[in-house]
Amino acid sequence: MKRLLSLHSSRPHPQDEPDQAPHDTPNQVPPDPPQPSTPHPSLGSSNSPPSTSRTATSETMPTDNTAPSPPPSARSTHFHRIPRSVPQPPASLPISGAFPSHRFVIGGGVAIFHLASARVVLCRHSADKYWFLPKGRRDAGEASNAGAEREGFEESGYRNRLLPVPLETRQPLPHNVAAEAVSPFVTDPLVMEMAPVRDRSQYVLFWYVAETVPPGVEAGLNQRMEEAATRENQTPYLAPERWPEGLTLGERLGMEEEGYEPVHHQNTAVDAEEALYESYLLPVEEAVWKLRWTLLQHEVVRRGWNAICARWEFEAQAVGGE
């Protein structure tokens, strides 16, 4: 298919500040003024490159010090696209540049969705009290997409795998492949973000759409993790299997019993900074609102969810046309 579609609960979670957000409740306690002491952690540990988001200030960084709220009631599966509630960041103009290997770093981030409950994983800095998506630098020799999945697990504690979705992209379709074998769904980056690192280095970050892994995959990885665990590393990272070829969203939803909660692993942080991160599964629209202070992470969540909805609509039409 040459023309791809262009698109675009639950565990307790802290409440946001008392702005008029889509899921805010009336009697919220105003938060204390933010006291940022560390840079935004989205690129990894304290010795990572500086944040790719705006500088965190009292004007741009929502904080909260309120207690967690009770979990919301169970939600039925309902794939509906969400409108833009936060201004879209301006698209950057194409640039030219050349950087030798010691002057650039590549990273990856993930919006991890739990499909059955229309929620997404958000991290929260427990000391500086702001929200962000998990992301960080890939390891040397590691593929960017695999690095994004690994960073998602290490920073949030949720196992995840990339989810193929329809995207408008300038990448060519595969050649020398039977036409019927070309899927309209891809796991390519949803967004590319660039930021300077100090004076003469460049950071390139790829954002991906991912999902929490199904119970069977989780159980298999847990068994392997127990066998591979050591005293020094009790939660070693193990990459999940890819999204199976031909698996539909409907079939994927059938792998979970109603009310299933994805496993949230503890102690997956790799350093003291990451140990300060909390993580929660939040309704998608609420997550977009909580990320409104960031440069574009709110748009990663919105576009990612809408791309999943587009896949759902595509598969529903395909079934209806048979």
Side-chain angles (χ1 to χ4, degrees), residues 3-20:
R3 180 179 175 274
L4 300 186
L5 298 178
S6 171
L7 308 156
H8 337 327
S9 36
S10 136
R11 193 163 166 262
H13 59 277
Q15 296 297 304
D16 206 344
E17 73 285 5
D19 293 354
Q20 295 302 311

Side-chain angles (χ1 to χ4, degrees), residues 92-243:
S92 301
L93 294 175
I95 62 172
S96 296
F99 300 90
S101 60
H102 64 282
R103 285 185 49 201
F104 71 88
V105 61
I106 299 173
V110 279
I112 306 170
F113 295 95
H114 181 230
L115 301 176
S117 61
R119 291 177 295 164
V120 64
V121 174
L122 249 62
C123 294
R124 177 178 178 270
H125 197 289
S126 61
D128 293 340
K129 317 238 184 282
Y130 53 84
W131 299 88
F132 57 97
L133 292 173
K135 63 186 179 202
R137 296 175 293 177
R138 68 168 175 80
D139 292 339
E142 184 180 37
S144 296
N145 53 3
E149 291 175 334
R150 175 184 53 75
E151 285 288 344
F153 174 72
E154 291 175 351
E155 293 196 354
S156 76
Y158 285 96
R159 296 193 192 280
N160 64 96
R161 65 183 181 187
L162 299 192
L163 172 57
V165 292
L167 292 179
E168 183 179 23
T169 175
R170 295 188 64 86
Q171 304 303 133
L173 294 176
H175 295 284
N176 300 319
V177 177
E180 60 271 16
V182 178
S183 172
F185 312 128
V186 296
T187 55
D188 288 14
L190 180 72
V191 176
M192 183 187 74
E193 188 175 359
M194 300 179 67
V197 181
R198 303 183 181 89
D199 294 334
R200 301 187 61 191
S201 297
Q202 184 68 45
Y203 188 86
V204 181
L205 176 68
F206 296 104
W207 286 104
Y208 297 90
V209 179
E211 65 139 0
T212 56
V213 298
V217 174
E218 182 74 60
L221 289 171
N222 285 343
Q223 181 176 352
R224 290 173 52 202
M225 183 175 69
E226 292 177 2
E227 297 170 353
T230 63
R231 180 177 299 179
E232 294 75 21
N233 186 3
Q234 298 183 8
T235 55
Y237 176 71
L238 299 171
E241 63 185 43
R242 304 293 90 196
W243 179 279

